[in-house]
Amino acid sequence: STHKMNTGENALSLVRQLKRDGGLPPYDEETMQKVVTEIGVLHRGVLTTLRNPYVERREPYGASNIVFYHAAVTRNKRLAMTYLNERVRRLMVARWCCGAREPPEGLDENMSKHEREFWSNYDSSLTQYAVECGFDLTVDMEPPRELYVEVLVLVDAGHFVTEDGTSIELRQGNTRYLKRADAQKLIKMGLARRNSQS
């Protein structure tokens, strides 16, 4: 019966586990099963109230019972889905960060069977997409701080020292990726032009 259980406490404890642990704590099958059982008990409470011929649904007692049971079911479902969704989000972040096809050490033993299946499917999709794009999407996750421009060197001009002090050789017909400021200097000097293929 519902009066003997702390309604919602099991579901809330799942979310609290994730809040305490920034990584991926072990999947808590036992508590998740308690949440599923509690949802079933609460749902039966709604049905019992609705089927009881002695309870008038429009009266405060009947209406409040239905609202209580329904709200408790909804809350438990939302907390359980938050737990599962956050775990999946953390798995996705781990896959992008580690760039490995296998889960990083310490992560695999904390995953449920379904999470391992998700990892495998997600990894396959990400790998297939990367192959189709022609580059590894998990490399250089942050955008570059400096924008680079590809320029075509128009004349043999010897060495050019860039803003960061690097000396580069300018040979006619070569292309170079340079910081925008360096590229603009070469273009203004008539030594290079922006490569139309870039």
Side-chain angles (χ1 to χ4, degrees):
S1 80
T2 55
H3 69 277
K4 291 183 180 177
M5 70 173 116
N6 288 330
T7 306
E9 284 302 311
N10 287 314
L12 186 59
S13 76
L14 290 173
V15 175
R16 285 182 177 147
Q17 285 175 25
L18 291 175
K19 191 171 184 176
R20 279 191 301 271
D21 188 333
L24 190 75
Y27 181 77
D28 193 343
E29 179 70 41
E30 181 182 339
T31 304
M32 183 57 84
Q33 197 54 51
K34 287 178 184 176
V35 171
V36 170
T37 301
E38 184 178 319
I39 288 171
V41 169
L42 293 165
H43 183 70
R44 285 190 295 280
V46 170
L47 296 178
T48 300
T49 302
L50 288 172
R51 292 178 183 152
N52 188 338
Y54 301 107
V55 174
E56 179 57 51
R57 285 179 238 154
R58 294 185 183 154
E59 295 297 318
Y61 172 78
S64 64
N65 265 0
I66 293 169
V67 169
F68 167 76
Y69 288 126
H70 178 71
V73 166
T74 302
R75 181 175 186 264
N76 276 356
K77 285 181 178 180
R78 288 181 68 184
L79 289 169
M81 291 306 296
T82 297
Y83 176 74
L84 295 172
N85 189 49
E86 178 60 18
R87 290 181 65 84
V88 166
R89 188 194 69 76
R90 290 181 186 188
L91 290 173
M92 291 167 64
V93 167
R95 174 56 182 90
W96 279 88
C97 290
C98 75
R101 296 187 54 98
E102 296 299 319
E105 193 171 326
L107 193 68
D108 188 53
E109 59 264 15
N110 291 345
M111 294 164 61
S112 71
K113 176 182 84 168
H114 297 292
E115 289 170 337
R116 282 188 199 92
E117 186 178 322
F118 169 81
W119 178 280
S120 177
N121 291 336
Y122 187 71
D123 173 69
S124 294
S125 295
L126 188 60
T127 302
Q128 180 181 353
Y129 187 74
V131 167
E132 289 172 9
C133 289
F135 58 92
D136 186 355
L137 300 169
T138 62
V139 177
D140 298 328
M141 296 295 292
E142 296 294 321
R145 289 195 174 144
E146 301 289 337
L147 296 177
Y148 288 80
V149 176
E150 184 179 13
V151 295
L152 176 65
V153 179
L154 300 174
V155 295
D156 286 322
H159 288 301
F160 173 78
V161 179
T162 62
E163 282 188 344
D164 64 3
T166 305
S167 178
I168 59 170
E169 187 173 357
L170 299 176
R171 290 185 172 243
Q172 185 178 1
N174 286 353
T175 57
R176 294 280 186 175
Y177 281 98
L178 301 171
K179 290 181 184 177
R180 185 175 302 279
D182 292 324
Q184 287 174 339
K185 281 183 192 174
L186 289 176
I187 292 168
K188 283 182 184 177
M189 294 167 57
L191 301 176
R193 67 172 169 79
R194 190 175 182 124
N195 194 352
S196 59
Q197 295 175 345
S198 63

